[in-house]
Amino acid sequence: MPQDIAEGRIVELTIDNVAHGGRFVGRHRIDSDERGRVVFVPDTMPGETVRAQVVEVKKSFATAVALEVVSASPDRVPHVWDEASIDRAPLERAGGAEFGHIALPRQRELKQRVIEDALERTGGMTREVPVAAAPGDDERGGLGWRTRVRLHVDDRGRQGPFAPRSHEVVPVADLPLATEGIRLSAQLDQRLPGVTAVDYVQHGDEVDVIAMEGAPERGRTDTIVETVGGREFELDRSGFWQVHREAPGVLTDAVRRAIDADAVDAAGWSLDLYGGVGLFAATIAEVLGERTRVTSVEADEVATDHASENLAEWLGASAETGRVDRWLRELAKRASKAERERLSRGVVVLDPPRAGAGREVVEQLVALEPAQIVYVACDPVALARDAKLLAERGWSLDSLEAFDLFPHTHHVEAVASFRR
């Protein structure tokens, strides 16, 4: 293994791949070492040669920050956000648009590569997974989609995101990924002494500005309404909702396509796990009809209250508060033979956080023997790991769609369907 790489050293690297998490892969080679040490570098892309400064050295890899592009890829474009450009010092670069220097079609190709690589390396399966654009994104150049923006405030009262992998606030003059309403509402030149963070939330044509002192608190605030496909959903103003303006519609359509109405019985018992305010529970009910029995499970009590309201039109729909792993564990203890039979005829839709469902939840789901599992994923590696866990227990990946719901960032969403 090469030994002449150390923290603080400036090296020249040729980038040959993309890695999970928005970083790119170069190799530092010395003498006869053909393989070289892996060096992860953001703000680059495959095919480029860059000068970079090493910031961390581990046993098998190093991390560096890009300082200068020596030889640019033809897919490099001027960064969509001046404050995030490689022309700025690393700690003066705004975080949150780490693919903003890459042409939009190339971004999607790289995200596809990350998904396929995760499936192969972690999941043990080979599959082609193209990444689809959300409606309107190509026309807007991947800009103007964020309906939720959190900016931090430094000790001088200036607003901005953190620099990548840092808690250093970078003051900004614009928010190109945000909706036009947020861009017009965010008075970025205004100093906010005593404030630690500001949330900008667009719902419909309205924009709310929420200034915070100290750590953000959970709990009920004002109720707002979001509309998806003509259906209204109540939620807390500071509660979770998909960030891209088109994401709720894109994902509900994908879940609707994934559910096999011929294999799932409306009179069975379906589950919406990590259910939030009931978005996918409503999708299940719309697909299966008025006889649907579906339970939404969500750890946030406020979100569960809203889910109960949002699902009120279906007599067989309910919402329960609980951590999914604990709720499933209790269900396994108390479910009657008749309830288990109904569960075996239902569909389970789950939308876990970035860490994924994990072994315990997967094992509990498999034990229920549902007719189908539909998995909404925001992390390719977590999805691949859970897909492998399911495969080891007799479930196969039936369909998989991926969506670019975070343009100019490394994030990507996917909807997968599994069958026994």
Side-chain angles (χ1 to χ4, degrees), residues 387-408:
K388 182 178 181 180
L389 291 171
L390 284 165
E392 291 170 348
R393 290 153 180 79
W395 289 74
S396 63
L397 178 59
D398 184 52
S399 66
L400 177 59
E401 293 186 277
F403 306 96
D404 189 14
L405 299 183
F406 301 88
H408 301 298

Side-chain angles (χ1 to χ4, degrees), residues 162-210:
F162 286 142
R165 296 164 296 281
S166 166
H167 285 88
E168 194 74 27
V169 175
V170 179
V172 294
D174 193 13
L175 300 169
L177 302 190
T179 61
E180 183 179 2
I182 289 178
R183 293 178 73 184
L184 293 174
S185 299
Q187 298 178 10
L188 299 175
D189 58 348
Q190 181 180 356
R191 298 294 180 97
L192 301 172
V195 173
T196 56
V198 183
D199 280 353
Y200 297 95
V201 178
Q202 175 147 7
H203 49 101
D205 295 329
E206 301 293 322
V207 175
D208 294 332
V209 182
I210 310 167

